[in-house]
């Protein structure tokens, strides 16, 4: 998996309940919209949230693993999270395509802090994965647009 390749082994945690909050206080979240090309099929929104220390470790490990030249080491946290989020989103889309579901991905938008699911009108949670690395926690949450009956 991507996190392991970046030097951050994972431990996944079972969820006792679904939270209405997305992200971590003081952390960062990448949001990717996944639009269905088929009318009357739901769209997805992918939330990738990291505690700040976890996000910083992803950045540092990306710089070290890619052995970037000194002038390229100016990669910032947001650029790194955009790249990591694109990789995770792309992997998810390939999995879904294998099941006959096709989506078009937006570019990630990066936000800081927490947000309530209620702030994202007409979405409901379908799946949330939480995990811990030695450098901090992360969450991946998929929300689906609600269709009119």
């Amino acid at each position: 998996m991507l996190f392991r390749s970046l030097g951050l082994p994972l431990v996944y945690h079972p969820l006792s309940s679904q939270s209405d909050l997305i992200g971590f206080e003081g952390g960062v979240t990448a949001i990717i919209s996944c639009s269905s090309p088929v009318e009357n099929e739901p769209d997805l929104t992918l939330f990738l949230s990291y505690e700040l220390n976890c996000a910083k470790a992803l950045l540092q490990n990306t710089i070290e693993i890619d052995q970037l030249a000194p002038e390229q080491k100016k990669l910032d946290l947001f650029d790194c999270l955009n790249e990591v989020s694109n990789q995770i989103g792309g992997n998810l889309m390939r999995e879904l395509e294998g099941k006959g579901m096709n989506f078009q991905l937006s570019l990630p938008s990066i936000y800081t802090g927490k947000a309530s699911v209620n702030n994202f009108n007409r979405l409901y949670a379908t799946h949330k994965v939480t995990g811990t690395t030695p450098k901090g926690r992360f969450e991946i949450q998929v929300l689906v647009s609600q269709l009119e009956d």
Side-chain angles (χ1 to χ4, degrees), residues 1-35:
M1 170 150 197
L2 179 65
F3 280 82
R4 249 182 242 115
S5 70
L6 292 174
L8 293 172
L10 300 178
V11 176
Y12 290 104
H13 305 285
L15 295 173
S16 57
S17 66
Q18 188 74 317
S19 170
D20 285 338
L21 291 177
I22 296 169
F24 300 102
E25 195 66 47
V28 290
T29 297
I31 301 174
I32 301 175
S33 296
C34 310
S35 301

Side-chain angles (χ1 to χ4, degrees), residues 63-120:
I63 290 170
E64 290 172 6
I65 288 171
D66 290 347
Q67 298 177 347
L68 298 176
E71 64 275 5
Q72 293 175 307
K73 288 187 179 184
K74 293 182 180 174
L75 179 73
D76 71 13
L77 185 62
F78 293 104
D79 290 337
C80 175
L81 292 178
N82 275 325
E83 181 57 34
V84 168
S85 300
N86 274 329
Q87 290 177 28
I88 293 171
N91 288 339
L92 175 64
M93 290 306 105
R94 279 188 286 287
E95 293 268 334
L96 293 174
E97 284 172 2
K99 298 179 189 294
M101 295 178 267
N102 296 304
F103 293 93
Q104 296 176 317
L105 273 73
S106 71
L107 293 174
S109 298
I110 308 293
Y111 297 90
T112 58
K114 286 184 178 181
S116 172
V117 172
N118 296 330
N119 291 345
F120 298 93

Side-chain angles (χ1 to χ4, degrees), residues 44-56:
L44 304 176
T45 304
L46 180 61
F47 295 84
L48 305 157
S49 301
Y50 313 88
E51 285 184 320
L52 190 54
N53 284 340
C54 182
K56 287 180 178 179

